[in-house]
DNA sequence: CCGGGCGGAATTGGATCCAATGATTGTTCG
DNA sequence: CGAACAATCATTGGATCCAATTCCGCCCGG
């Protein structure tokens, strides 16, 4: 137990979970030694873990200076949503041929879970689960990874958004999920893509309406 | 000079250049100690460099086993082109508002360079330069990085493709570049996006017509 | 009173050394 | 004679130690 190989991957996963979960917030500095002490390892696997997280964009490394949880500007967040608007319809279109009556029934269940989520946290979790399931494709490693990274990057802001705006947007989201499911049932790829794009675009609009969540483009560090 | 901080980044850049340039080919194993000896450093910065390259997908790391230059299957390559078909039109649309008469004139020069490239290597280089220039946007870090990674990943196969198929496809590419420029002159975003997507789609079709370039999906290692 | 330059502490990056895992070869048994 | 097993070897992953850089506060000078 003293020497797990690839311990860095496990540490990266734990740190990622903390960032997604909100334990570590954008702008927070990550000191190698602190984390090393906490996990009871040396700084080497921490460095590797930070590089892994940097590669997905969750952490920003500055040479000889330090590591911070990536803080998005409004423009960057907008960019991420724009990418999602293009990539997720593609991923969905690739996933559709693999769907069956049974899998669509499961998606229906997942949509139900979203609708009945009690807390904002549950809602986000269920929403992500729904999207992940609907767009799951066995083969497409890079594409689904990329999409996953984009979700991770914007997760924090999605949660902040959900708190004040819960009621109205939730209904929209639920309705859009139902529309996506309907397109899946019909096997209508074009409609599914279009609705998915609109679904993401609507959330982007909401993000753009709340610029106060973001750092002023490159200044104003130290949350 | 003995201790450059962030030497790993420089090593990563050099290795990346070798992979792009063809010195290292997909499937080649990269042994940490070899590279370390060659650069006159310890294995630590090599490990970091390999992680950096892995993050962009150029290198595949297997825990406790080793590092290989990423070898794409036909399906993966197809996936990369599909992603490019969606992302590059987006990037182009973001770039267009920043274009001016002068910058478009420069693009014209670059298109000229592509047309008059002598060797396949020059052609690829010029083609990439053209695309990069046309889609250059000051702000969009993540998107242009992602697109850059996708180009890097498929560069090797693009070169292999160009050798046998030079004549015919070259004319098409040149013509499509001209069409893109025309759309830029007119400021017609929709056309520009559509042509760019078609441009990439055509190359994808060519890739799909040459499955013999690819490894059989996950076997047949050791080039 | 304010700004620039200097010095020390904190923190990161790299080198060397050691442990553990995976691959390969030789050996032995069915 | 082939196949499965075991031991050795090569290679990667981690720990400890050391050097270099950055950041902070402090002091001196204008």
């Amino acid at each position: 137990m003293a020497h797990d190989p690839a311990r860095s991957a496990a540490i990266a996963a734990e740190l990622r979970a903390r960032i997604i979960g909100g334990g570590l917030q954008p702008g927070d500095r990550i000191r190698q030694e602190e984390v090393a002490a906490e996990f009871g390892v040396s700084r080497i696997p921490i460095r590797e873990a930070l590089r892994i997280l940097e590669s997905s964009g969750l952490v920003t490394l500055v040479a000889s200076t330090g590591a911070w949880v990536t803080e998005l500007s409004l423009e960057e967040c907008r960019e991420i949503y724009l990418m999602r608007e293009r990539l997720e319809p593609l991923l969905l279109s690739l996933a559709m041929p693999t769907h069956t009556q049974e899998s669509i029934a499961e998606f229906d269940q997942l949509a139900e879970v979203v609708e009945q989520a009690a807390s904002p946290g549950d809602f986000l979790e269920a929403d992500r689960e729904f999207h992940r399931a609907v767009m799951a494709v066995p083969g497409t490693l890079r594409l689904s990874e990329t999409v996953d990274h984009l979700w991770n990057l914007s997760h924090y802001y999605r949660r902040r958004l959900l708190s004040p705006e819960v009621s109205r947007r939730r209904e929209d989201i639920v309705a859009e999920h139902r529309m996506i499911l309907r397109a899946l049932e019909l096997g209508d790829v074009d409609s599914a893509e279009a609705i998915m794009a609109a679904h993401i675009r609507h959330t982007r609009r909401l993000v753009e309406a709340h610029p106060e969540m973001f750092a002023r483009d490159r200044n104003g560090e130290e949350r």
Side-chain angles (χ1 to χ4, degrees), chain A:
Chain A
M1 159 181 10
H3 285 291
D4 267 325
R7 192 185 262 277
S8 36
I11 294 174
E14 170 60 23
L15 287 178
R16 176 167 34 237
R18 272 186 217 184
I19 296 173
I20 306 289
L24 281 170
Q25 296 197 349
D28 284 357
R29 182 165 185 181
I30 302 178
R31 263 170 252 270
Q32 298 180 2
E33 198 134 12
E34 268 183 31
V35 185
E38 183 185 344
F39 284 90
V41 297
S42 89
R43 275 171 35 227
I44 301 266
I46 308 299
R47 273 197 258 177
E48 305 267 332
L50 290 178
R51 280 229 181 275
I52 293 171
L53 294 175
E54 187 209 20
S55 78
S56 65
L58 268 186
V59 161
T60 302
L61 291 179
V62 180
S64 299
T65 305
W68 284 265
V69 178
T70 300
E71 201 170 15
L72 298 180
S73 67
L74 172 59
E75 286 73 23
E76 290 173 305
C77 196
R78 205 177 100 87
E79 191 185 339
I80 284 166
Y81 272 91
L82 288 171
M83 291 175 73
R84 287 188 51 199
E85 280 174 50
R86 305 284 179 134
L87 291 181
E88 294 189 26
L90 168 62
L91 184 52
L92 182 61
S93 77
L94 294 176
M96 283 184 68
T98 72
H99 289 162
T100 64
Q101 288 298 332
E102 296 81 41
S103 62
I104 292 179
E106 289 173 24
F107 305 154
D108 218 74
Q109 297 292 323
L110 292 172
E112 195 78 25
V113 176
V114 175
E115 291 169 22
Q116 306 198 342
S119 69
D122 288 353
F123 179 82
L124 282 180
E125 188 62 36
D127 181 56
R128 182 156 190 178
E129 208 48 56
F130 173 78
H131 280 262
R132 209 194 300 262
V134 164
M135 301 188 302
V137 188
T140 67
L141 273 306
R142 252 172 208 84
L143 177 52
S144 23
E145 251 180 41
T146 303
V147 168
D148 220 55
H149 290 165
L150 296 174
W151 274 78
N152 285 345
L153 277 171
S154 51
H155 194 94
Y156 169 80
Y157 301 94
R158 207 156 39 245
R159 183 168 50 226
R160 289 205 47 187
L161 210 55
L162 207 65
S163 310
E165 297 281 345
V166 173
S167 50
R168 186 73 193 89
R169 178 62 186 147
R170 259 189 78 150
E171 293 170 21
D172 291 349
I173 290 174
V174 163
E176 285 159 5
H177 284 182
R178 289 296 174 190
M179 288 181 70
I180 291 171
L181 286 179
R182 180 57 49 96
L184 295 190
E185 284 167 18
L186 299 173
D188 185 340
V189 178
D190 292 341
S191 294
E193 286 203 32
I195 299 166
M196 180 62 84
H199 182 50
I200 299 167
R201 187 156 50 244
H202 292 164
T203 307
R204 171 165 64 83
R205 292 268 155 71
L206 203 60
V207 168
E208 290 169 353
H210 288 272
E212 75 278 5
M213 296 191 302
F214 299 94
R216 198 175 71 266
D217 207 340
R218 269 291 148 251
N219 306 339
E221 310 282 315
E222 314 307 316
R223 64 174 172 103

